[in-house]
Amino acid sequence: QVQLVESGGGLVQAGGSLRLSCAASGRTFSGYAMGWFRQAPGKERELVIVMRTSSGDTYYADFVKGRFTISRDNAKNTVYLQMNSLKPEDTAVYYCATQRVATYSLPTAVHEYDYWGQGTQVTVSS
């Protein structure tokens, strides 16, 4: 059974930075897409960034380009979300997710993911 555990959330002032981690266990890490999503109160869950852990191919949502980056440590089965220049509108619960079966294209929709972490709260104060 694949398990994902996020950490690193917290409270930060606008303009600050946070780094989230997502540790995966239960299967080989490399080759699958690992995505970061977020969900703010009253809003739908949305994609932030997704990376294929073998190739490093990455897709960024427009609202995070230039501010957020994703990286991975395949030896540790961990992906990281570095968030810089945070804004109050980035406040949300952040989730990492992965697929049961690897696909050719990078998955960008919630329904394309099978395994989810418990989420970590990120709060950005103005």
Side-chain angles (χ1 to χ4, degrees):
Q1 180 70 16
V2 175
Q3 291 188 324
L4 304 174
V5 178
E6 302 100 335
S7 61
L11 173 64
V12 64
Q13 289 187 332
S17 299
L18 280 175
R19 189 177 81 154
L20 306 183
S21 301
C22 173
S25 62
R27 73 169 183 198
T28 301
F29 181 73
S30 183
Y32 294 89
M34 294 292 294
W36 284 98
F37 288 77
R38 70 185 187 185
Q39 188 166 19
K43 295 188 176 181
E44 294 186 351
R45 192 168 297 189
E46 62 181 354
L47 177 71
V48 176
I49 290 179
V50 55
M51 168 188 275
R52 192 176 307 284
T53 53
S54 52
S55 64
D57 292 343
T58 304
Y59 173 85
Y60 293 79
D62 287 342
F63 57 78
V64 301
K65 286 182 178 177
R67 300 191 299 128
F68 294 8
T69 56
I70 188 171
S71 60
R72 85 280 197 191
D73 184 334
N74 287 352
K76 294 183 178 180
N77 280 8
T78 300
V79 291
Y80 304 96
L81 178 62
Q82 179 65 45
M83 305 186 293
N84 299 326
S85 302
L86 282 162
K87 306 174 181 179
E89 52 263 44
D90 294 318
T91 295
V93 178
Y94 284 71
Y95 301 89
C96 65
T98 191
Q99 298 172 293
R100 184 172 63 248
V101 177
T103 56
Y104 179 78
S105 59
L106 282 175
T108 58
V110 171
H111 72 268
E112 295 181 275
Y113 289 81
D114 303 291
Y115 304 108
W116 294 83
Q118 81 287 356
T120 185
Q121 176 70 47
V122 172
T123 303
V124 184
S125 62
S126 57

